[in-house]
Amino acid sequence: MVKVKKARIQDVALEAGVSMMTVSRVLNQDPKVSDSTRSKVLAVAEQLQYRPNESARRLASNKSYLIGLLYDNPSDAYISQFLLSALKSCRTKGFHLVVDEADKNIEKTLQSVKDLINETKVDGMILLPPVCEQKEIIDCLQEANVPFVRVAPDSHLTISPYICMDDYQAAFDLTEMLIKQGHNKIGHIIGDANQGVSRLRYQGYLDALRSNKINTPPEYIEQGCFTYQSGMVAATKMLALKDKPSAIFAANDDMAAAVISIAQNQGINVPNDLSVVGFDDTTLATVVWPNITTVRQPIDEMAKLAVSLFTSNKVKDFTDLKSNQLRNILDFKIIQRESSKPIE
């Protein structure tokens, strides 16, 4: 069997017609390299199947090329989509993602964070909700001088870069869409009480009703926690009412899917007898039938942007960022599918 010679940085430089220093700068995401040179070097590196020596790369740049990600989110669909996108983004930029799940015991979680800092030597951390709100974790990262990016935080918006969408406006628009379809009996299943987005989505729902002068009885509102199981419990209560809602807005797709399941089990046709809408537009929204009308949260884009904040080299020190540079608000879109329809 003939052993294929492994490509070296010298080979890439020779084939691309540039210096080894230029190849190194391209591989290290140096923003000063021109786009044409970057494209040429990366194309040659891919053609030669060149893989940099990670140990040498780390020594030369004093970086680990490791990004930590900490999560504690009950929605498997949301987590899976975010992680896959972040992993792909890291891979294309020559970084690796180190993922850890927060423990219910804060001391265990803090130890995990300290291990990522001291042993794994991560270059930075991505904090997903609700971890992004935990003061103990934030304090730990700040004390260690480790940069971090938060996804969908609800407080202390000037301590780090953060990525979000306008959850309030999205919930308002989604509720108003149902109202324009003739629904004036709209129930809501609130998300996890520990996550700020739950409050924003709930407030958007309430304000849309109020702006249209619609009064909602308290029994049309149930507390969930972003899990399928909590959606089942809430839907069972709401659909047992004598005066049932004609539409239910669940604060994520997991709970919306649960509403559809309970409705079908009770012989309630979705959408002819009950319109159901969700939030996030995870893969689950198109797995169940009928497919779920939902708000498309740009989860993939959020993950890519979170990674790029560490890998672009455009930001050397997050503490130097101005308040307007910390904020990254991405667009949302309402996706209408078969789970909702106008009242006939």
Side-chain angles (χ1 to χ4, degrees):
M1 182 177 179
V2 179
K3 186 176 181 181
V4 179
K5 184 181 177 182
K6 185 178 179 181
R8 303 169 301 168
I9 191 171
Q10 295 96 318
D11 302 322
V12 177
L14 182 63
E15 184 69 22
V18 298
S19 67
M20 287 190 291
M21 178 62 72
T22 298
V23 175
S24 177
R25 288 171 61 195
V26 169
L27 297 176
N28 286 305
Q29 309 288 324
D30 190 330
K32 295 179 182 178
V33 179
S34 69
D35 290 340
S36 59
T37 299
R38 187 187 312 279
S39 298
K40 180 168 62 174
V41 170
L42 290 176
V44 171
E46 184 176 355
Q47 175 190 339
L48 298 179
Q49 296 183 327
Y50 171 72
R51 296 292 178 269
N53 184 302
E54 291 296 334
S55 297
R57 187 179 178 215
R58 290 168 186 168
L59 285 171
S61 62
N62 197 29
K63 294 173 65 174
S64 68
Y65 293 92
L66 299 173
I67 299 173
L69 186 147
L70 192 62
Y71 73 94
D72 177 21
N73 193 304
S75 173
D76 291 338
Y78 174 90
I79 291 298
S80 297
Q81 188 170 340
F82 193 99
L83 289 184
L84 283 174
S85 184
L87 283 166
K88 289 178 182 177
S89 185
C90 279
R91 190 178 301 119
T92 60
K93 297 177 183 296
F95 280 69
H96 296 281
L97 193 68
V98 183
V99 182
D100 204 349
E101 182 178 13
D103 194 275
K104 299 303 178 186
N105 183 321
I106 186 60
E107 293 303 322
K108 289 184 179 180
T109 297
L110 285 174
Q111 187 56 55
S112 295
V113 173
K114 289 174 183 177
D115 288 343
L116 286 169
I117 295 170
N118 300 321
E119 296 180 17
T120 309
K121 306 290 186 183
V122 293
D123 293 326
M125 291 283 294
I126 299 172
L127 305 180
L128 297 188
V131 178
C132 62
E133 303 283 2
Q134 289 191 268
K135 185 177 184 300
E136 298 91 342
I137 295 172
I138 292 171
D139 288 345
C140 180
L141 292 170
Q142 288 180 322
E143 288 170 10
N145 200 30
V146 173
F148 57 95
V149 171
R150 298 190 297 159
V151 177
D154 188 42
S155 60
H156 306 295
L157 302 181
T158 59
I159 62 173
S160 75
Y162 66 93
I163 302 165
C164 66
M165 55 164 279
D166 194 337
D167 289 87
Y168 168 85
Q169 191 62 52
F172 185 100
D173 291 354
L174 186 62
T175 306
E176 195 156 70
M177 180 201 76
L178 290 171
I179 294 170
K180 288 178 179 178
Q181 290 180 343
H183 297 279
N184 57 17
K185 296 192 293 182
I186 305 170
H188 181 59
I189 304 176
I190 306 171
D192 190 335
N194 294 318
Q195 296 195 36
V197 294
S198 302
R199 179 187 62 80
L200 293 170
R201 294 172 191 179
Y202 178 39
Q203 193 61 52
Y205 155 81
L206 289 177
D207 286 353
L209 294 175
R210 288 167 181 161
S211 68
N212 286 276
K213 297 181 172 56
I214 297 174
N215 294 318
T216 300
E219 55 267 28
Y220 277 13
I221 299 169
E222 291 289 344
Q223 180 68 57
C225 61
F226 284 147
T227 64
Y228 186 90
Q229 291 74 16
S230 70
M232 292 181 70
V233 172
T236 299
K237 292 179 181 178
M238 218 177 288
L239 296 179
L241 296 172
K242 185 176 181 179
D243 185 18
K244 298 177 178 60
S246 65
I248 294 178
F249 165 23
N252 78 340
D253 294 336
D254 296 63
M255 297 191 298
V259 174
I260 292 173
S261 176
I262 293 297
Q264 291 175 340
N265 189 52
Q266 295 185 8
I268 298 172
N269 183 276
V270 177
N272 293 330
D273 303 324
L274 175 72
S275 284
V276 179
V277 299
F279 207 105
D280 289 338
D281 196 29
T282 57
T283 53
L284 182 61
T286 53
V287 170
V288 300
W289 183 259
N291 290 173
I292 301 173
T293 294
T294 187
V295 171
R296 175 170 291 165
Q297 180 171 197
I299 299 173
D300 290 339
E301 289 77 6
M302 286 177 165
K304 292 174 184 175
L305 179 55
V307 170
S308 72
L309 287 173
F310 293 110
T311 63
S312 65
N313 272 344
K314 293 178 181 176
V315 178
K316 296 293 185 182
D317 185 355
F318 286 167
T319 60
D320 288 340
L321 293 177
K322 298 176 183 178
S323 59
N324 66 319
Q325 295 175 304
L326 297 173
R327 183 176 65 250
N328 296 275
I329 302 178
L330 304 186
D331 293 333
F332 66 85
K333 183 179 181 181
I334 293 177
I335 307 298
Q336 295 195 46
R337 297 194 178 101
E338 294 83 0
S339 69
S340 65
K341 62 176 289 190
I343 290 181
E344 296 176 352

